[in-house]
Amino acid sequence: MATTQKRVKMPKQNRKRMTTSSYVMIIGLLAFVAMIGILFQHAVITEKNTEIRELQKTLEDAVQVNDSKEGQLVTNMNLQSIEAQARGYGMTEPVQEQYRRELVTEKADESLMTDSQIVRSWFENLF
């Protein structure tokens, strides 16, 4: 036997629709996330900039110390110790065959003035 009963209709579920306020909330959330990302990036850049400045300062200090040490070396240079060290490496005096003689003839050139002549002429023109 078949009975016919009325089926109980289930109420239709309404589809959830996004309202304007929902869109505004999503856009606001995305903007907030973007701003946090920008702030984070700015913090990273600032940190790297600080590191770079510290490294530049360290480099400048090292260059200054290097220049100072180089100046000390130049002022403390002793030619006798350099010659002794060169002789230790095998430097010897040249033999007679290694000398080269040049013959220079002196030519009088009136256009050349000595320093004292230049100073005298300058003083004469000055007074």
Side-chain angles (χ1 to χ4, degrees):
M1 280 202 231
T3 61
T4 58
Q5 289 183 3
K6 276 191 166 179
R7 276 188 168 177
V8 177
K9 277 190 171 182
M10 296 292 282
K12 272 189 177 178
Q13 289 185 359
N14 289 338
R15 285 185 63 199
K16 292 187 179 181
R17 304 190 104 211
M18 301 255 314
T19 61
T20 307
S21 63
S22 298
Y23 285 119
V24 169
M25 293 268 296
I26 290 174
I27 290 172
L29 183 63
L30 290 175
F32 182 72
V33 169
M35 288 180 192
I36 288 176
I38 291 171
L39 286 174
F40 178 74
Q41 188 68 22
H42 185 277
V44 169
I45 290 171
T46 303
E47 183 180 335
K48 295 294 180 187
N49 188 30
T50 305
E51 288 177 18
I52 289 171
R53 286 178 187 250
E54 288 173 0
L55 289 173
Q56 284 177 336
K57 177 79 170 116
T58 305
L59 176 64
E60 289 171 0
D61 292 344
V63 166
Q64 187 177 8
V65 167
N66 190 26
D67 290 344
S68 173
K69 295 294 183 185
E70 187 176 335
Q72 289 175 357
L73 284 174
V74 168
T75 57
N76 292 335
M77 218 185 260
N78 186 353
L79 295 178
Q80 285 80 19
S81 66
I82 292 173
E83 182 180 353
Q85 190 173 12
R87 289 194 186 278
Y89 290 137
M91 183 184 89
T92 59
E93 291 290 328
V95 294
Q96 192 64 27
E97 293 85 35
Q98 293 175 323
Y99 283 105
R100 183 174 176 186
R101 307 242 187 263
E102 297 282 331
L103 181 59
V104 179
T105 59
E106 289 196 34
K107 184 170 147 181
D109 191 4
E110 291 85 25
S111 65
L112 295 177
M113 297 174 65
T114 63
D115 289 339
S116 59
Q117 291 172 338
I118 292 172
V119 170
R120 274 191 223 119
S121 67
W122 184 75
F123 276 121
E124 289 172 0
N125 291 333
L126 183 66
F127 299 110

